[in-house]
Amino acid sequence: MSEIDTANGELKKKISAFLLKNALYLVMFFLLAIIVMVQPSFLKFQNFYFIVTQSSSRIILALGIASIIVLGYTDLSLGRSVGMAAIVSSSLLQAVNYSQKIFPHLPQLPIVVPILLVMLLCSIFMVAQALIVSKLKVAPFIASLGFQLIIYGLQSIYIDRLNDSSPIGGLDPKFSKFAQGAIEFDNFRIPYLIIYALIASIIIWFIWNKTKLGRNMYAIGGNIEAATVSGVNVVLNILAIYIIAGMMYGFGGALEGARTGSVTNMLGQGYELDAIAACVVGGVSMRGGVGTVPGVVTGVLLFQIINYGLVFIGVNPYVQFIVKGMIIVLAVAIDSQKYVKRR
């Protein structure tokens, strides 16, 4: 084989590796280019400011499930956990003078109390899941699917018995401001949601990169048998990761309730699919052991840009489902090819 053939072979390998690594980003930017060509005004700063703000709570949720995916597991109960957190926190933080208050004799609670309560509640559900997955060896897909139904049933009973399935509104202005407020600098605003997402990202980055729990998480996701042989307490570490995810779900759910201002039983539906897709788009491997916090944040932002862009140019909602589904399938397919290459 000549030197030219060898060089061409190396070049083809490099191009192939580049395309495999960045194929999904190329597809996303191609979709973005189409959106911009159809409606150039999409590139206005206000649109991206809105997208980043609306993505903030999704980033918090995605960071929670990303930790589970890095373990090599998955969680389909995220959306219903978000709904439960939003319903419970909103029902406890209605304005005292609201005529249809669910708990009319309940005094005005400090905002932090219901938020901590729903974080604890979601963590309890996640503890149960973690024990079922790690101790009983039930497939995470099945365990989380079961809890998706359990949580939805419980939140349905809660809202049906207390509010006759009507939307929960009339929220305490302080609670609404907690999610909808912003820090003002002359003519520029930094929404609280962005600050919460930034703090959550820093905390999760620190856990993943600077703690023993983070190292063990990657080890378990990379090879659970090798991690066990190396002395890693697999059950305890899985439990800790699931608890962190539950806390993120609870906090993100409370923010979603306060942000929307009117909570129904359908809030959170499908959030888990968007979060999983955003994680995979951001480079978190469904096979476990691979993922970064900047990647997750980037994935959420890209996914939300495409979502908002499709709405912005007036694409049929049913077509939007098709596009999102294709992105998810493509993301997992590319992830599988990357896994084969690593092997």
Side-chain angles (χ1 to χ4, degrees):
M1 183 179 293
S2 66
E3 292 184 3
I4 295 177
D5 290 336
T6 302
N8 287 337
E10 290 296 322
L11 180 60
K12 287 179 180 179
K13 286 182 180 180
K14 289 180 180 179
I15 293 174
S16 177
F18 174 81
L19 290 175
L20 181 62
K21 182 179 180 180
N22 300 286
L24 202 52
Y25 290 112
L26 295 175
V27 170
M28 301 289 273
F29 283 116
F30 175 72
L31 289 173
L32 179 59
I34 293 176
I35 292 169
V36 172
M37 283 190 292
V38 173
Q39 188 58 265
S41 62
F42 180 70
L43 290 178
K44 287 183 178 179
F45 173 78
Q46 293 91 330
N47 289 327
F48 287 96
Y49 177 83
F50 175 80
I51 290 170
V52 172
T53 303
Q54 297 301 307
S55 299
S56 297
S57 59
R58 299 299 184 100
I59 288 173
I60 294 171
L61 298 173
L63 289 170
I65 199 171
S67 301
I68 294 175
I69 296 175
V70 172
L71 279 176
Y73 297 161
T74 191
D75 181 21
L76 299 180
S77 69
L78 179 153
R80 296 308 183 188
S81 295
V82 169
M84 172 69 85
I87 288 172
V88 173
S89 60
S90 297
S91 68
L92 297 176
L93 286 170
Q94 291 179 296
V96 288
N97 57 352
Y98 183 55
S99 60
Q100 300 178 26
K101 190 175 181 182
I102 293 176
F103 300 108
H105 303 296
L106 183 70
Q108 197 66 61
L109 298 174
I111 295 173
V112 68
V113 174
I115 291 177
L116 290 177
L117 177 63
V118 295
M119 290 175 68
L120 175 62
L121 179 62
C122 290
S123 295
I124 290 173
F125 286 124
M126 295 304 289
V127 165
Q129 273 198 68
L131 292 176
I132 290 171
V133 167
S134 60
K135 285 288 190 179
L136 302 182
K137 306 302 180 184
V138 175
F141 177 87
I142 299 300
S144 62
L145 180 61
F147 271 88
Q148 180 190 71
L149 299 174
I150 291 170
I151 296 170
Y152 181 62
L154 290 173
Q155 74 181 45
S156 298
I157 293 172
Y158 184 89
I159 197 170
D160 182 57
R161 294 289 179 86
L162 296 178
N163 208 42
D164 196 26
S165 295
S166 300
I168 299 175
L171 302 183
D172 180 357
K174 292 181 180 179
F175 184 44
S176 298
K177 185 178 179 181
F178 181 73
Q180 300 173 14
I183 298 176
E184 308 260 350
F185 293 101
D186 294 328
N187 296 323
F188 188 72
R189 302 172 77 250
I190 301 179
Y192 291 156
L193 284 174
I194 293 179
I195 297 173
Y196 302 148
L198 179 61
I199 293 172
S201 299
I202 292 172
I203 292 173
I204 296 300
W205 181 89
F206 182 82
I207 292 173
W208 284 17
N209 296 280
K210 299 297 180 180
T211 68
K212 185 177 180 180
L213 175 62
R215 292 192 294 273
N216 290 343
M217 176 187 71
Y218 282 107
I220 293 170
N223 190 322
I224 190 170
E225 289 81 11
T228 303
V229 171
S230 299
V232 174
N233 189 326
V234 173
V235 174
L236 187 61
N237 281 275
I238 290 174
L239 193 62
I241 292 297
Y242 269 73
I243 290 173
I244 292 171
M247 293 172 67
M248 301 290 276
Y249 296 170
F251 185 64
L255 288 178
E256 281 292 280
R259 183 182 67 83
T260 58
S262 180
V263 181
T264 70
N265 203 30
M266 301 307 294
L267 192 149
Q269 184 178 22
Y271 278 31
E272 66 280 353
L273 298 181
D274 285 353
I276 292 171
C279 287
V280 179
V281 167
V284 181
S285 175
M286 293 297 292
R287 304 279 183 165
V290 176
T292 66
V293 169
V296 174
V297 174
T298 302
V300 173
L301 291 175
L302 279 176
F303 206 69
Q304 289 300 108
I305 287 172
I306 298 302
N307 279 344
Y308 184 71
L310 294 175
V311 174
F312 191 82
I313 62 175
V315 174
N316 186 295
Y318 301 129
V319 176
Q320 293 177 35
F321 280 117
I322 295 172
V323 174
K324 288 168 65 175
M326 292 174 64
I327 291 173
I328 292 172
V329 172
L330 180 62
V332 176
I334 293 173
D335 176 58
S336 297
Q337 291 302 309
K338 289 180 180 178
Y339 178 76
V340 171
K341 290 287 185 181
R342 289 198 301 270
R343 296 284 290 180

